[in-house]
Amino acid sequence: MPPGSPSAAGVSGEPATGQAAEPPASAASAPAAARPGRAARFAALARREARRTVAALAGGVVLVFAFPPYDLWPLSLVSVALLSLLTHGRTARQGAWTGFAFALPFFCLLLRWLDVVGYDAVAGLSVVEALYVAAMGAGLAVTSRLRCWPLWAAALWVAQELVRDRWPLGGFPWGRLAFANTGSPFTPLAALGGAPLVSFAVALSGTLLACAVLGAVRAGAGRGIRALLPAAGAVALAVALVFAGYAVPVPVKGDDSVNIAVVQGNVQKPGMDFLGRPMMILNNHVNATLQLAKDVKAGRAPRPDLVIWPENASDLDPFKFPEVYDRITEAVQAIGVPVLVGALIDHPSKPGYVFNEGIVWDPGTGPGASYTKQHPVPFGEYVPFREELSKVISRFKRVPRNFYPGDHNGVMKVGPAELGDVICFEVAYDGIVRQTVNAGARMLVVQTNNATFGRSGQPEQQLAMSRLRAVEHGRSVVTAATSGISAVVGPDGQVREQAPLFTRQVINASIPLRDGTTVADRLGEAPEWTLAMVGLLSCAAAVWAGRRGRTEKEGA
């Protein structure tokens, strides 16, 4: 019987791969050999795990290419299958190390756009994110000894993403399997269970492929042609899962429509200092809007019902600087329709704090309803423990002010449209987008500023999230970015219009508005928590089965 198979390890009471058997009774009376030093033990461990570690590192690199800007989504299945094979039949400690080795290069390459802050920021965040996958790797190892282990492994992927998306400091959802599959056959499943269901289906397909490989290996070891039947069944089920999304209806038509214009004003240079001198970015968007007004008047462009500016289109508080207020008013009155303006607003009572807001600016009445970003980015938009950390890391002084979080969703009426505003990284968080839709948003707007990250792949990764949200909630999603990628995504997740990076451009489009909700909207967090609990309970069952096996062996 091959090592690492479920009947050869753990449940049957025999030692798993990598675990030493108990010494015979005669060995207990022999003189104890001198225990090797810590360095020697580490060197021996490194030699034993070297090949597996290299394979895990390669698997993490492969997974990067499943994500934008590469979009080779089948590689997400390959990577999941590889990690499942590398952790199968191993101890929890070995599984944790393998998971960490898999995740570290993956996050380092996926998050390389953070190098504008510093390579230490890339490395530090990658290590933190990899620790979650290390914990999952331990779970993959112990549950691999149970029957139906591919199912438990897929549930553990959801559990890992659930915790990583929420903790600490609100979590960081980048790198979810669902975000690598926003243009794949799995995508329609988001309408049933959101991003967690997509991640689960991808993970289950990958673990089934790993199960098929193990079955083929057993058949090749002389166990007969009948041993191939379970492997063939696993492949068939994995293929069925890949194409199951095609059975999910995805809405395309709306109840009515609205004409919009998205203004991408562009910046002078990317990076941390993209804002340049005060009012530079504001003037870019004002001038682009004034040109749009001229084009509409001359018949060269359709008249919009509303205009959308990106996040940070005004870097100065228009309520504090009259010249800023006047420039915005000039542009809004020229186009003659409401404009959703992204601006930084000083906190009225807390010096050093600002609101990151989207403000509805009417040509007749001026500024009105607004939405304040609810989830500022730690260390980017605010510095936790600022006083203590700034003494150690002087770079935090480049974040001079803390963004103050908002306390309500972004549903606002802008002209004839009831839209839901989501600002920048908030599109990555399931709860914020879902609450906005359930509060009555008939379309979604993502105001964002990606100028800091240049041509690093981060804008493409964020646009992929907008595509998934469109399918998940059955809503059109409009992304307005200072420097790109501004885009219009239909309710089916297809990109209808797109402005390239670092260009000044205005997108004109007719957007379908929808009132109906998807199954994912109605179920909320239930599928995610259910799948996560299944994964955690499977770990508990595996630990209990292992202890029971050892107890029975000791009794015998």
Side-chain angles (χ1 to χ4, degrees):
M1 186 172 295
S5 62
S7 57
V11 176
S12 63
E14 295 297 318
T17 306
Q19 292 177 316
E22 293 182 1
S26 59
S29 58
R35 182 178 175 85
R38 180 176 300 177
R41 296 199 305 273
F42 182 81
L45 176 64
R47 287 194 297 270
R48 288 197 304 270
E49 295 295 317
R51 291 183 179 179
R52 195 177 301 267
T53 300
V54 171
L57 292 169
V61 173
V62 168
L63 183 56
V64 173
F65 290 92
F67 286 79
Y70 312 105
D71 291 315
L72 303 175
W73 65 265
L75 295 181
S76 60
L77 307 183
V78 174
S79 299
V80 170
L82 179 59
L83 182 60
S84 299
L85 291 171
L86 293 174
T87 55
H88 192 83
R90 309 293 286 173
T91 66
R93 185 176 298 178
Q94 291 167 335
W97 170 251
T98 302
F100 184 82
F102 174 90
L104 187 59
F106 165 65
F107 284 112
C108 281
L109 294 174
L110 184 74
L111 304 177
R112 66 185 186 278
W113 41 267
L114 273 174
D115 62 6
V116 298
V117 179
Y119 287 103
D120 54 343
V122 178
L125 182 58
S126 298
V127 168
V128 172
E129 297 293 291
L131 291 175
Y132 293 93
V133 184
M136 182 187 72
L140 294 177
V142 299
T143 57
S144 67
R145 303 180 181 95
L146 299 176
R147 293 181 181 273
C148 303
W149 63 267
L151 181 63
W152 319 134
L156 283 172
W157 275 94
V158 177
Q160 172 260 132
E161 291 184 355
L162 183 151
V163 179
R164 189 164 60 84
D165 297 352
R166 291 167 171 81
W167 185 89
L169 301 174
F172 189 71
W174 240 260
R176 299 168 74 179
L177 292 177
F179 294 154
N181 286 269
T182 60
S184 76
F186 292 103
T187 309
L189 296 174
L192 300 180
L197 184 60
V198 176
S199 288
F200 175 76
V202 173
L204 182 55
S205 298
T207 54
L208 285 169
L209 292 178
C211 184
V213 170
L214 291 174
V217 169
R218 295 188 189 105
R223 297 183 64 180
I225 192 67
R226 293 182 61 184
L228 282 176
L229 294 179
V235 171
L237 185 54
V239 172
L241 269 173
V242 170
F243 294 102
Y246 288 125
V248 180
V250 176
V252 177
K253 295 182 179 180
D255 300 303
D256 53 350
S257 63
V258 63
N259 295 322
I260 68 160
V262 182
V263 177
Q264 178 175 298
N266 203 10
V267 301
Q268 271 57 46
K269 64 175 182 178
M272 291 289 289
D273 301 314
F274 73 93
L275 286 173
R277 65 178 185 272
M279 293 187 64
M280 180 181 291
I281 305 302
L282 172 63
N283 285 329
N284 286 353
H285 289 84
V286 167
N287 293 336
T289 305
L290 293 175
Q291 182 61 49
L292 172 63
K294 293 178 181 178
D295 292 341
V296 169
K297 187 175 181 179
R300 294 189 295 268
R303 179 179 176 81
D305 297 314
L306 62 98
V307 175
I308 300 170
W309 286 6
E311 176 192 24
N312 300 156
S314 176
D315 58 322
L316 296 176
D317 185 349
F319 304 109
K320 186 176 179 181
F321 297 94
E323 61 272 29
V324 174
Y325 188 102
D326 292 342
R327 285 292 279 163
I328 297 174
T329 301
E330 177 188 0
V332 174
Q333 290 180 345
I335 194 64
V337 298
V339 178
L340 182 62
V341 178
L344 298 179
I345 308 299
D346 293 334
H347 196 290
S349 59
K350 290 181 177 292
Y353 286 85
V354 295
F355 295 121
N356 189 357
E357 290 192 345
I359 306 169
V360 179
W361 210 288
D362 187 86
T365 59
S370 65
Y371 167 67
T372 302
K373 187 176 184 180
Q374 302 176 66
H375 197 301
V377 179
F379 304 106
E381 296 177 328
Y382 77 98
V383 179
F385 317 109
R386 175 184 290 273
E387 185 176 347
E388 293 79 10
L389 291 177
S390 295
K391 297 176 181 177
V392 181
I393 305 175
S394 60
R395 192 184 310 146
F396 288 148
K397 295 177 182 178
R398 299 193 71 179
V399 186
R401 299 182 293 178
N402 285 334
F403 284 30
Y404 199 86
D407 57 3
H408 61 272
N409 62 62
V411 178
M412 296 178 288
K413 188 170 181 60
V414 183
E418 199 84 15
L419 61 79
D421 191 15
V422 176
I423 297 180
C424 201
F425 281 20
E426 288 184 329
V427 71
Y429 295 88
D430 297 348
I432 290 177
V433 184
R434 185 188 306 115
Q435 291 166 9
T436 303
V437 171
N438 287 338
R442 305 183 70 203
M443 62 176 283
L444 291 168
V445 172
V446 181
Q447 291 181 291
T448 187
N449 170 28
N450 297 324
T452 304
F453 307 112
R455 302 180 185 273
S456 61
Q458 187 274 347
E460 289 88 348
Q461 292 169 13
Q462 190 169 322
L463 178 59
M465 298 174 192
S466 294
R467 296 183 63 186
L468 185 74
R469 299 306 180 197
V471 176
E472 180 179 358
H473 303 292
R475 296 291 189 272
S476 296
V477 180
V478 176
T479 299
T482 49
S483 59
I485 304 171
S486 298
V488 174
V489 181
D492 57 354
Q494 297 300 312
V495 178
R496 307 287 176 82
E497 302 282 348
Q498 181 173 322
L501 285 167
F502 298 106
T503 59
R504 177 181 294 183
Q505 187 167 328
V506 175
I507 297 176
N508 294 284
S510 179
I511 303 297
L513 303 177
R514 300 192 69 254
D515 296 309
T517 56
T518 63
V519 175
D521 291 324
R522 295 190 287 273
L523 292 178
E525 295 182 342
E528 182 178 27
W529 282 99
T530 300
L531 291 170
M533 289 304 299
V534 168
L536 295 177
L537 289 173
S538 68
C539 287
V543 171
W544 177 81
R547 289 181 177 177
R548 181 182 179 186
R550 288 193 296 271
T551 301
E552 291 176 352
K553 183 176 180 180
E554 290 172 358

